[in-house]
């Protein structure tokens, strides 16, 4: 569960973080990118890309089960005590960890874990996993870690399986954490998702699972059977898409973003078709928007709304420029014009 500190606690925890971060930050590994100043997800993915490009294409993908909920607090305080001598500060950090969470007026103790939502939690989680970083480095392995998402790169399948076994034992016996055996795996980089991305043939691409979720989100944002104004729908889409595409703009396959944008436009065109109660109304609307009667006659065929949304008549009446210039749909793929993209190409697991 998320723990939302009171304002007083938040101020105290932020002050502790500002004190500890300059001390702990220089001790952390260069291969750690999560919750650190001046570091980002894109840097982590680019680092992974460089390692794969060097020839280490097999990935040991380790998933920690409920990491934030299972951090051993005694080990955490003990590790912090090796760097910080002030017992009062250590006691204050311990009190913060054990403060508990309140749900429906009932306080639940937190004998283990670092509460998600605490300003101090990200820094403490890095301190816990820094021990893992040092262990991996001592074995001469190359890796990238962002929070509890850790990928180790090796050259062969056999080496990867050996590393998986050894590192899993270290995590469970030494760090007292739990490795999720179902989600952890050994595979080639093209089959492993890291921060929503995957490395295919040495290039960054949005992972297939991430693309499927994006298409599902588009469907959720453009429901059928509604008379909602198109402007309202597009405003809601922009709110989601600008954030989503801003992150996944790190892909080196621009057609992936174009595919999502094309899917959005097609669903909006299908909405326009659906809102015409009679085929004659759709025909008149298309003609009014400059489509010839011969092309607009597709309205009287047996095609359903989804098929009609991809006809030449609909795309001429409502071109891409209409969505961006007239309706305010915000692009991130920098495309000028587009034919329909094969969505399955980008959501299929290869």
């Amino acid at each position: 569960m998320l723990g939302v500190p009171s304002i007083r606690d938040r101020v105290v925890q932020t002050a502790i973080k500002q004190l500890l971060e300059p001390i702990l930050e220089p001790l952390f590994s260069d291969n750690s990118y999560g919750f650190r100043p001046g570091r980002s997800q894109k840097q982590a993915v680019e680092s992974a890309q460089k390692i794969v490009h060097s020839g280490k294409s097999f990935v040991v993908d380790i998933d920690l089960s409920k990491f934030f909920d299972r951090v051993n607090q005694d080990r955490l305080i003990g590790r912090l005590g090796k760097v910080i001598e002030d017992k009062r500060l250590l006691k204050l950090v311990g009190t913060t960890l054990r403060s508990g969470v309140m749900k429906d007026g009932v306080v639940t103790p937190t004998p283990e874990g670092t509460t998600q939502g605490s300003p101090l939690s990200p820094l403490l989680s890095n301190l816990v996993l820094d021990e893992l970083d040092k262990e991996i480095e001592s074995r001469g392995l190359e890796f990238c870690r962002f929070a509890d998402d850790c990928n180790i790169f090796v050259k062969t399948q056999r080496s990867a399986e050996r590393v998986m076994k050894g590192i899993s034992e270290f995590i469970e016996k030494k760090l007292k954490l739990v490795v999720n055996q179902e989600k952890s795996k050994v595979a080639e980089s093209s089959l492993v998702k890291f921060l929503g991305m995957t490395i295919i043939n040495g290039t960054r691409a949005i992972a297939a699972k991430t693309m499927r979720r994006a298409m599902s989100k588009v469907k959720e944002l453009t429901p059928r059977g509604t008379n909602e104004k198109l402007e309202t729908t597009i405003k809601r889409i922009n709110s989601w898409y600008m954030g989503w595409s801003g992150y996944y703009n790190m892909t080196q396959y621009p057609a992936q973003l174009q595919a999502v944008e094309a899917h959005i436009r097609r669903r909006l065109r299908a909405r326009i078709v659906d809102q015409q109660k009679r085929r004659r109304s759709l025909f008149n609307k298309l003609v009014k928007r400059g489509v010839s009667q011969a092309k607009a006659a597709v309205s009287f065929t047996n095609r359903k709304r989804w098929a009609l949304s991809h006809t030449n008549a609909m795309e001429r009446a409502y071109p891409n420029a209409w969505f961006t210039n007239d309706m305010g749909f915000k692009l991130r793929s920098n495309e000028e014009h587009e034919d329909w993209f094969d969505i399955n190409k980008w959501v299929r697991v290869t």
Side-chain angles (χ1 to χ4, degrees):
M1 292 190 295
L2 293 178
V4 183
S6 64
I7 293 179
R8 181 182 179 184
D9 285 350
R10 184 173 290 275
V11 170
V12 171
Q13 291 174 24
T14 302
I16 296 173
K17 177 179 180 290
Q18 291 175 347
L19 285 171
L20 294 180
E21 193 168 63
I23 300 172
L24 298 178
E25 181 63 26
L27 305 178
F28 293 154
S29 169
D30 289 337
N31 300 299
S32 167
Y33 294 89
F35 311 128
R36 298 182 62 185
R39 289 175 173 249
S40 66
Q41 292 97 327
K42 184 177 181 180
Q43 290 175 333
V45 174
E46 287 177 343
S47 178
Q49 181 183 8
K50 289 178 182 177
I51 298 174
V52 172
H53 191 69
S54 70
K56 297 183 177 180
S57 58
F58 283 88
V59 183
V60 179
D61 183 15
I62 299 177
D63 184 86
L64 299 180
S65 178
K66 298 182 179 179
F67 164 70
F68 286 93
D69 297 333
R70 287 177 168 157
V71 169
N72 187 296
Q73 295 176 353
D74 293 333
R75 291 195 81 260
L76 170 56
I77 296 298
R79 188 164 177 80
L80 186 60
K82 294 179 180 179
V83 184
I84 305 298
E85 297 181 356
D86 193 331
K87 303 298 182 183
R88 296 170 300 171
L89 185 57
L90 294 176
K91 183 179 180 180
L92 193 55
V93 172
T95 302
T96 298
L97 291 171
R98 299 181 178 90
S99 60
V101 294
M102 179 181 289
K103 182 181 180 182
D104 298 329
V106 178
V107 177
T108 304
T110 50
E112 62 179 1
T114 60
T115 306
Q116 295 189 65
S118 162
L120 193 55
S121 183
L123 180 63
L124 295 179
S125 67
N126 268 336
L127 180 62
V128 172
L129 291 175
D130 183 61
E131 198 168 353
L132 173 62
D133 297 343
K134 297 297 191 290
E135 176 66 19
I136 297 174
E137 288 173 345
S138 70
R139 300 187 184 199
L141 299 170
E142 291 191 86
F143 70 101
C144 291
R145 181 178 66 79
F146 192 96
D148 58 334
D149 196 348
C150 182
N151 281 0
I152 306 171
F153 301 86
V154 294
K155 290 185 177 180
T156 65
Q157 175 87 18
R158 181 176 294 182
S159 298
E161 291 172 354
R162 184 174 63 251
V163 169
M164 171 67 83
K165 182 180 178 181
I167 295 298
S168 295
E169 288 179 357
F170 175 82
I171 290 172
E172 295 188 335
K173 293 181 179 179
K174 188 73 181 290
L175 299 185
K176 309 299 181 184
L177 298 171
V178 178
V179 175
N180 189 329
Q181 299 296 342
E182 293 183 359
K183 292 186 177 181
S184 299
K185 64 179 179 179
V186 169
E188 291 192 36
S189 63
S190 60
L191 301 176
V192 175
K193 181 168 69 76
F194 180 52
L195 300 176
M197 304 292 291
T198 188
I199 310 300
I200 302 176
N201 298 325
T203 55
R204 301 186 303 273
I206 304 173
K209 187 175 181 180
T210 305
M211 287 293 291
R212 286 196 295 271
R213 281 203 297 260
M215 296 306 174
S216 296
K217 184 66 177 180
V218 170
K219 185 176 181 180
E220 176 188 325
L221 293 172
T222 54
R224 295 179 59 178
T226 176
N227 289 319
E228 181 181 69
K229 289 184 178 180
L230 217 57
E231 294 91 333
T232 304
T233 301
I234 290 177
K235 185 177 180 180
R236 187 168 61 246
I237 290 171
N238 282 337
S239 179
W240 164 76
Y241 184 65
M242 291 305 291
W244 186 88
S245 60
Y247 175 84
Y248 289 106
N249 200 38
M250 70 176 87
T251 179
Q252 292 179 301
Y253 292 94
Q256 291 186 292
L257 296 181
Q258 293 170 3
V260 176
E261 293 168 5
H263 192 51
I264 291 171
R265 283 189 290 265
R266 185 171 181 183
R267 286 195 63 86
L268 293 176
R269 289 186 184 109
R271 163 86 65 83
I272 295 171
V273 173
D274 200 38
Q275 289 179 344
Q276 311 309 308
K277 302 305 179 184
R278 296 184 302 126
R279 292 300 178 108
R280 172 62 68 176
S281 299
L282 177 60
F283 173 82
N284 292 337
K285 198 173 189 68
L286 293 175
V287 171
K288 187 176 180 180
R289 292 196 58 81
V291 178
S292 67
Q293 291 189 0
K295 290 184 178 296
V298 72
S299 305
F300 300 111
T301 64
N302 291 327
R303 298 187 188 185
K304 303 297 183 182
R305 60 188 291 277
W306 187 245
L308 284 171
S309 69
H310 186 36
T311 57
N312 182 267
M314 280 299 297
E315 290 176 353
R316 280 180 176 273
Y318 300 95
N320 299 343
W322 182 79
F323 288 98
T324 54
N325 299 333
D326 296 354
M327 304 304 293
F329 176 43
K330 298 178 181 178
L331 295 175
R332 288 304 296 263
S333 64
N334 297 322
E335 64 179 5
E336 295 180 0
H337 43 258
E338 144 264 330
D339 295 323
W340 178 246
F341 289 91
D342 181 7
I343 297 299
N344 292 325
K345 179 180 178 182
W346 300 111
V347 301
R348 183 175 62 246
V349 177
T350 57

